[in-house]
Amino acid sequence: MVVSASAGNGASGSAARRASEENMRSMVDKVSAFIFDCDGVIWRGDSVIDGVPETLDMLRAMDKRLVFVTNNSTKSRAGYLGKFTSLGLNVSAEEIYSSSYAAAAYLESIDFPTDKKVYVVGEVGIQEELDLKGIAHIGGPADADKKISLKPGFALPHDPDVGAVVVGFDRNINYFKIQTAQLCISENPGCLFIATNLDAKTHLTDAQEWAGNGAMVGAIKGAVKRDPIVVGKPAEFMLANIATQFGLHRNQICMVGDRLDTDILFGQQGGLSTMLVLSGVTTEAALLHPENGIHPDFYMSQLSDLLSIKAAPVAV
């Protein structure tokens, strides 16, 4: 099922209406590139969503440029290539853009001082991308088992050379990491507070939703009373960096995602066309709820709904 969610690009408050194959064809014909979220669009947990391989093959056959974007920072681009390959998806490393890479690219873009280091609350994906940029870092998985034994007069030491704290999804978040992060941000002059994303929930398995990076960021934000610099969706930095890196014009891009407040907002704020799929976080009830103010150009049950245009005549 494919439905038009608004009369215009991202208009709010419009009644949803079904879209015909001609509407879908028009959308596909007018863009030269698709940016896909991964979790909930391409896969759920470790399972590829039905019809995705065929849909991607169809779009490639139509000479569309494909870029795969994920807010999940647990893997680097190389790590995600392994996941795509394991799921039988024909994707190249150059087509992948992760929030772990976005964090490293942001630090590079601001000429992060070479005499400073990054404290990582997160997993190996962030560290691998920092390594590729030559940015020194500490923390991450190495602090997974560290504990604090509180006693009178105890003060946890922290590294004064930390110039940025990067917070990504961390399955081994603990009090040591939270305290170290807040000390660096609060006490090191000019220390940056960077979040790969603020996603409330994520898909670690295909059985249920799990607390996302917003929970990790929220714990530290609550301590430092500062908002982080967000580099993943829906942040402008990520889109600008993608457009530059891939040589894309925004009016020729369609963003496809499963989240209203990240994927669709990311596309709307950046001037892209948008498609929502219901195979991930967002339900049809949530999309059509009167209090929802974020409406994609179109929505569909899952990405493979696009296969219905395969036999349709190509516009001249």
Side-chain angles (χ1 to χ4, degrees), residues 5-262:
S6 65
N9 210 20
S12 61
S14 301
R17 60 183 176 83
R18 289 186 180 274
S20 65
E21 288 182 6
E22 293 171 300
N23 297 140
M24 285 186 284
R25 166 65 68 177
S26 177
M27 170 67 81
V28 172
D29 283 345
K30 81 173 185 177
V31 300
S32 60
F34 286 85
I35 297 178
F36 297 103
D37 177 51
C38 296
D39 299 329
V41 178
I42 305 299
W43 59 64
R44 279 191 297 264
D46 291 320
S47 301
V48 68
I49 295 173
D50 291 344
V52 164
E54 296 84 354
T55 307
L56 299 182
D57 287 344
M58 178 191 75
L59 294 173
R60 289 189 193 282
M62 298 171 73
D63 294 323
K64 304 301 180 182
R65 182 69 184 268
L66 309 183
V67 181
F68 301 88
V69 177
T70 177
N71 264 356
N72 191 328
S73 63
T74 58
K75 295 181 177 66
S76 62
R77 289 166 296 168
Y80 273 109
L81 179 60
K83 180 163 186 175
F84 277 101
T85 302
S86 71
L87 292 175
L89 297 169
N90 182 25
V91 173
S92 68
E94 293 74 25
E95 294 176 316
I96 301 170
Y97 194 105
S98 62
S99 66
S100 53
Y101 173 75
Y106 175 78
L107 289 167
E108 180 184 48
S109 74
I110 63 171
D111 296 322
F112 187 69
T114 57
D115 61 342
K116 294 293 184 179
K117 63 189 73 170
V118 174
Y119 182 72
V120 176
V121 178
E123 302 190 15
V124 68
I126 297 171
Q127 294 179 311
E128 290 178 353
E129 295 293 357
L130 291 174
D131 285 338
L132 290 173
K133 298 292 187 184
I135 299 173
H137 56 84
I138 58 174
D143 288 349
D145 297 323
K146 292 186 178 179
K147 298 180 180 180
I148 297 176
S149 298
L150 295 175
K151 54 188 175 182
F154 174 75
L156 182 70
H158 70 283
D159 192 329
D161 292 329
V162 169
V165 172
V166 174
V167 184
F169 185 77
D170 191 335
R171 284 167 285 198
N172 294 297
I173 189 77
N174 58 35
Y175 192 61
F176 178 92
K177 294 181 182 183
I178 294 171
Q179 175 65 358
T180 299
Q182 79 89 8
L183 286 172
C184 292
I185 295 168
S186 300
E187 299 187 9
N188 291 359
C191 184
L192 301 174
F193 177 21
I194 299 171
T196 60
N197 67 87
L198 300 177
D199 291 357
K201 296 179 181 178
T202 189
H203 291 99
L204 297 181
T205 70
D206 57 5
Q208 64 181 186
E209 294 180 347
W210 299 78
N213 192 48
M216 290 79 183
V217 175
I220 296 168
K221 176 182 175 180
V224 301
K225 304 299 182 183
R226 278 172 53 183
D227 289 325
I229 299 166
V230 182
V231 295
K233 296 173 294 180
E236 164 63 18
F237 172 79
M238 178 179 266
L239 180 55
N241 197 251
I242 290 173
T244 299
Q245 181 173 323
F246 294 97
L248 302 175
H249 297 289
R250 299 189 186 204
N251 63 353
Q252 297 176 333
I253 303 172
C254 179
M255 176 68 210
V256 183
D258 70 314
R259 296 173 185 267
L260 293 169
D261 59 350
T262 54

Side-chain angles (χ1 to χ4, degrees), residues 268-285:
Q268 289 179 353
Q269 291 179 341
L272 315 183
S273 298
T274 56
M275 286 188 180
L276 178 80
V277 293
L278 302 177
S279 51
V281 169
T282 304
T283 63
E284 188 171 28

